[in-house]
Amino acid sequence: TIPAQYLGTISQLRIPGGTLQAASTYVVALGITMSDDLSKTSSSEMVISVETLPLVARIKGGATRRASTRAILTLDASSSRDPDVSSSAAQGLSYAWACTLASDGAAQACRDTSGALLALASAASLEVPAGALSATTDAPYEFTVTVSKPGKSPAGYTLALTLVEQAIPNVELTAAGDGVRQNDGSFKLNANSVFSLTAACSATGTQTWSITPAVALAAPAFSLSAQGDLFVYLGA
């Protein structure tokens, strides 16, 4: 049922987002009585059908990554969710991981340095030991997580991973603000939206930001923290 605090005695009914349950049907009725003649009444009903939203699969860090064969590789899909469930509640998702590598024009299952098929867990987080995979040459490894839940179609997300033999710092970007994250990991925002990216790096060094296609980062619409780890777009 719709909570009583939203059912008033005015001509408009406002139901906040997240109030109604997905895959449910509600009947909203309005009754009107003439103030000068209580015997004159009228009513009307409207049926509200609440649809379900598709599952959203995500891998922390974006759709591409460059890492070292010398370090443990951790892929985190715990931010995947069911939009019909509160983000603070258990999502009830199952996780399935896959890894492929293009070879001779065809995608082949990933193998470790011993030639065995790469072991893949069925959990939100996947950890690949250091040295388990060889460095990439022409094509990246493609790690795909598929999330599923009874009653809903599965959803997948793919991360392209380039591995190099030398030790390199690990960099992750975390987004915040008005941007809306798309299923492919990109963000969509309006020209006047405020949007920020926070960088986390496993080593100390010089941080250089760039945007493609190129824009003037010295313009007033952009702000960079003194430490260089926070990049903010303030809107047009």
Side-chain angles (χ1 to χ4, degrees):
T1 60
I2 299 176
Q5 64 263 34
Y6 303 130
L7 303 176
T9 57
I10 58 176
S11 60
Q12 293 183 334
L13 173 65
R14 181 180 181 276
I15 304 173
T19 302
L20 305 182
Q21 296 295 316
S24 300
T25 300
Y26 298 83
V27 178
V28 178
L30 173 66
I32 298 178
T33 301
M34 297 292 291
S35 58
D36 58 352
D37 188 346
L38 300 182
S39 66
K40 296 180 179 179
T41 63
S42 183
S43 63
S44 180
E45 292 184 349
M46 176 175 288
V47 177
I48 300 176
S49 296
V50 184
E51 303 296 331
T52 59
L53 293 171
L55 300 178
V56 176
R58 295 173 180 167
I59 298 177
K60 184 179 179 181
T64 61
R65 187 182 301 183
R66 191 168 182 263
S68 171
T69 59
R70 302 182 187 183
I72 296 173
L73 173 67
T74 300
L75 301 180
D76 183 2
S78 61
S79 60
S80 302
R81 62 181 302 249
D82 179 353
D84 294 322
V85 177
S86 170
S87 58
S88 61
Q91 301 297 296
L93 300 176
S94 296
Y95 300 83
W97 290 88
C99 177
T100 59
L101 180 65
S103 177
D104 296 327
Q108 306 289 337
C110 298
R111 295 183 178 273
D112 61 24
T113 50
S114 71
L117 289 174
L118 184 66
L120 301 169
S122 298
S125 182
L126 173 66
E127 188 172 281
V128 179
L133 291 173
S134 300
T136 52
T137 53
D138 298 327
Y141 293 101
E142 291 194 344
F143 282 87
T144 299
V145 63
T146 301
V147 296
S148 57
K149 186 176 185 177
K152 290 201 170 187
S153 298
Y157 185 90
T158 298
L159 177 143
L161 174 71
T162 299
L163 284 181
V164 297
E165 293 182 349
Q166 66 267 34
I168 60 174
N170 180 51
V171 179
E172 289 186 354
L173 295 178
T174 302
D178 299 333
V180 178
R181 187 167 189 165
Q182 308 300 295
N183 288 340
D184 63 357
S186 64
F187 284 84
K188 182 179 290 186
L189 61 153
N190 295 322
N192 59 350
S193 298
V194 176
F195 184 73
S196 69
L197 291 170
T198 301
C201 185
S202 60
T204 302
T206 302
Q207 300 181 29
T208 303
W209 293 86
S210 64
I211 296 179
T212 304
V215 298
L217 296 182
F222 300 99
S223 175
L224 186 64
S225 67
Q227 294 77 22
D229 59 347
L230 178 63
F231 177 82
V232 182
Y233 173 66
L234 300 172

